Amino acid sequence: MTDAPSCPRCGSPLPPDAPEGSCPRCLLAAGLAPTEPHDEPVAVPGPKELARHFPELEIEAPLGRGGMGVVYRARQTRLDRIVALKILSPRFASDPAFEERFAREARALARLSHPNIVAVHDFGQKGGFFYLLMEFVDGTNLRQALQGGHLTPEQALAIVPKICDALQFAHDRGVVHRDIKPENVLLTKDGEVKIADFGLAKLGGAKPGELTLTAAGQVMGTPHYMAPEQFENPQSVDHRADIYSLGVVFYEMLTGELPLGRFAPPSRKVHVDVRLDDVVLKTLEKEPGLRYQRVDEVKTEVNSVAEDPQMTAAPTTATQGLSVPATGRKLSKLALYGALCFPLSILVFLLPMMLLSLLSPGATGTWREPGVLTIAGMTTSFFSLLPSAIIGLTGVILSLSGWVVIARSGGRLDGLWLAVPGTLLPFMCGGPLLALTLLFLARTGPFVYTLF
Amino acid sequence: MRDGHRGPEHSDSRRGGFATTHWSVVVAAGDRASPDAERALASLCEAYWYPLYAFARRRGADPEEARDLTQSFFATLLEKNYVADADRERGRFRTFLLTAFQHHAAKDRARERAAKRGGAERPLSLDYDVGEQRYLLEPVETATPERIYERRWALTILERVLSAVRRDYAETGRSALFDALSPVLVGASPAPSYRAIGEDLGLSEGAVKVAAHRLRRRYRARLRAEIEETVSTPSEVDDELRHLLQAVSG
């Protein structure tokens, strides 16, 4: 037993009954990972040595370090812009086939010029190591946003279509990301979404899940985002593996959890549109053929859910700001009860009373005696008023609930369609009552009104 | 009662080791009892009785009740071949065992406690005193009996796998190597210094690196093999691993 209170790798607390004092999470994850993680941080040259090879760059602080290499923040002095310099681990240099593969992949990456993809400016080999010069993204990554716990379902619905855009663009050009996970989804300070490390997983060999080197400097060795077929045959996966990984990220954004084992659909864990369940579950199909076949389809489905204001909160364009809880499901339950109240009150009270009043000779008979209050007459008039009172009250309650929802919806008028009929209800129930009264007037003459 | 082929010394030698048969063998046997299937089931039960005991304890049974319940459950299970129902669900051993146990517990309550509850039958020799001591160490915040069962299940698998790998190394006189390198299984950070380990063990740094790689590979193969024994098809291993990962995640 070690006396470390938490796992040095994944940070989760070590239980006192941990087998051999090792973190059970990491022990199990080791069974999932297709290959073992690298033994030690890679030895890459420091800023001083790099400066010799990159005279055009002012190399600043390291941004991150991982199994594949190190990323430095650097300034391109002539263009006066900040860039990210990724130095790949020297272990690649010992692989003679790597140079050709690297050039091929880097050219493919450089062609991916898209607002939602981190741009590759340059690549090459200097001083015995390979490097990539990339766009510098100022912001956080999705992992940090998730850990901060600030992500609302609306924001998730705003981020996912942008990931889809980036992936579709790359897929159309034959590039599969292979390592989509929150660490690779960067969120800029302007609320933009940028996907990093396209195709690098392939470059590093059959080791997705452990290559990520992010702006945050996190090195994750998690296999959770990998499609099932990636475990079995990592070298021959197609773009549908990205769709699976996107599904895992989506699920995590909505629920804060990973879809492990027999997982519940998102709407059972959090207040989100139930239609999202189908979208998420279809991306997470084990069989690639059962998933969406194009990322575009995911985007279309997500957008159609996000744009339908009846079922879910209004979509936000920015990825930051609003913190309104989703009220979709609560609202529909309330509306259901309200909708049930109306026909029920009519059925239970109004119809029998109308029939009773019209068909019972005893009841109508008493109305023929103007100014005489009989027990039967009073009962009849009481029960004639009761339904309208009940319906009126229902209407008042419904409209109040509606207005409360409106007040809480942060200016989005969520409860409007509940408030309006609720307010109209008392007036509407006055209609049948008026008709009833007129009927009596027609049958019994004008004296009847003295009873009221 | 079918304990003819299992003495306590036999089960001891097997505990922490590997049964040679699989849950899939049991499932495949269906309702037609075969000696292989019986042996497989018995060895699975011997390996995984503790999660059930912890489950019963967490459900409110006192140590004696939990012991009786577990014992009578295994007696019935091995005798009456509940497993005939299992292939209907095509389930995993983990879920099958819990479902059958709950079923048994409900019936047991209905029969009233007066019944003999398996009487003197002792089809498996299980060390309940050790079990109870372990149970008292269970974290109290682990909420439901089901959760504690699943968590225990995952830890039991890991313990079995680790002790099996350790034994593999001990058999070839490399216990020291295993002890020195076992931190790499969880990707310890900072990474252990291979040079220092090499100096301790009289090996070159490169040799230690290779040994670490082999240890990880062997561990991983053992873990997957162990899990494969509790599911009905090998394709379920990854999914079961993910499920267990969630069970141990707080």
Side-chain angles (χ1 to χ4, degrees), chain A residues 124-140:
Chain A
Q125 192 177 9
K126 278 185 184 176
F129 44 81
F130 295 94
Y131 71 92
L132 283 163
L133 201 62
M134 302 179 302
E135 173 186 7
F136 173 74
V137 176
D138 192 12
T140 62

Side-chain angles (χ1 to χ4, degrees), chain A residues 27-286:
Chain A
L27 280 174
L28 284 167
L32 271 176
T35 49
E36 69 284 352
H38 297 295
D39 309 330
E40 53 205 325
V42 282
V44 295
K48 272 184 193 157
E49 197 196 331
L50 284 174
R52 286 197 294 134
H53 300 292
F54 296 93
E56 74 282 12
L57 294 179
E58 279 173 22
I59 293 166
E60 300 174 2
L63 293 167
R65 177 182 285 270
M68 195 157 177
V70 175
V71 178
Y72 287 98
R73 186 187 142 112
R75 174 183 296 278
Q76 252 180 330
T77 41
R78 241 184 314 166
L79 291 166
D80 190 26
R81 68 171 176 184
I82 303 291
V83 291
L85 176 66
K86 185 172 216 155
I87 306 289
L88 299 191
S89 161
R91 74 188 158 92
F92 292 118
S94 57
D95 177 1
F98 185 78
E99 186 173 348
E100 192 201 325
R101 266 197 302 153
F102 177 73
R104 199 170 55 229
E105 291 297 323
R107 280 194 198 101
L109 297 188
R111 274 198 290 275
L112 296 181
S113 170
H114 187 273
N116 297 120
I117 296 177
V118 175
V120 172
H121 299 317
D122 197 8
F123 70 93
Q125 192 177 9
K126 278 185 184 176
F129 44 81
F130 295 94
Y131 71 92
L132 283 163
L133 201 62
M134 302 179 302
E135 173 186 7
F136 173 74
V137 176
D138 192 12
T140 62
N141 65 36
L142 186 56
R143 167 68 62 215
Q144 290 163 313
L146 285 169
Q147 281 167 347
H150 304 311
L151 217 60
T152 65
E154 296 82 19
Q155 289 167 334
L157 293 192
I159 291 173
V160 168
K162 294 180 181 179
I163 304 178
C164 293
D165 282 341
L167 288 177
Q168 188 62 56
F169 184 85
H171 292 171
D172 288 344
R173 281 149 190 82
V175 179
V176 180
H177 191 294
R178 290 165 173 263
D179 198 15
I180 286 287
K181 57 188 176 186
E183 289 79 7
N184 280 337
V185 178
L186 309 184
L187 307 172
T188 72
K189 285 188 173 160
D190 318 322
E192 260 314 315
V193 177
K194 283 184 187 283
I195 310 297
D197 284 355
F198 253 98
L200 289 192
K202 186 180 178 189
L203 198 58
K207 299 180 178 66
E210 59 169 284
L211 299 172
T212 306
L213 189 56
T214 69
Q218 285 171 326
V219 183
M220 300 295 289
T222 169
H224 298 303
Y225 301 90
M226 286 168 57
E229 68 268 22
Q230 265 177 298
F231 289 102
E232 268 137 45
N233 202 349
Q235 286 299 347
S236 66
V237 297
D238 62 14
H239 65 281
R240 293 173 298 186
D242 282 351
I243 294 177
Y244 181 92
S245 308
L246 171 66
V248 181
V249 172
F250 196 4
Y251 187 89
E252 192 178 10
M253 275 198 273
L254 292 174
T255 68
E257 290 169 20
L258 290 165
L260 300 166
R262 267 188 214 126
F263 55 90
S267 75
R268 279 220 233 127
K269 292 185 159 279
V270 282
H271 277 299
V272 293
D273 196 308
V274 285
R275 287 174 297 169
L276 288 177
D277 291 353
D278 296 337
V279 183
V280 174
L281 296 184
K282 195 169 175 186
T283 55
L284 289 174
E285 285 286 355
K286 288 201 166 49

Side-chain angles (χ1 to χ4, degrees), chain A residues 17 20 27 31 33 39 224, chain B residues 152 166 216 219-220 245:
Chain A
D17 50 0
E20 309 249 341
L27 280 174
D39 309 330
H224 298 303
Chain B
R152 253 305 138 198
R166 176 189 290 281
R216 268 195 303 268
Y219 164 78
R220 181 172 178 271
L245 196 52

Side-chain angles (χ1 to χ4, degrees), chain B residues 51-67 69 101 105 109 113 132 135 142-146 148:
Chain B
L52 279 183
Y53 178 81
F55 175 84
R57 286 285 281 122
R58 181 53 56 109
R59 277 255 300 244
D62 65 30
E64 197 180 345
E65 282 169 345
R67 194 185 64 207
L69 201 57
F101 187 71
R109 265 196 295 278
R113 298 248 145 79
E132 179 60 17
Y135 178 75
T142 308
T144 63
E146 285 79 10
I148 203 171

Side-chain angles (χ1 to χ4, degrees), chain B residues 203-238:
Chain B
L203 295 167
S204 75
E205 191 179 346
V208 177
K209 231 179 218 182
V210 171
H213 176 82
R214 288 199 182 132
L215 173 60
R216 268 195 303 268
R217 213 168 46 189
R218 171 165 301 203
Y219 164 78
R220 181 172 178 271
R222 279 289 201 188
L223 175 60
R224 294 184 71 86
E226 176 76 10
I227 285 173
E228 202 177 317
E229 290 190 353
T230 69
V231 295
S232 40
T233 61
S235 59
E236 288 171 274
V237 171
D238 279 326

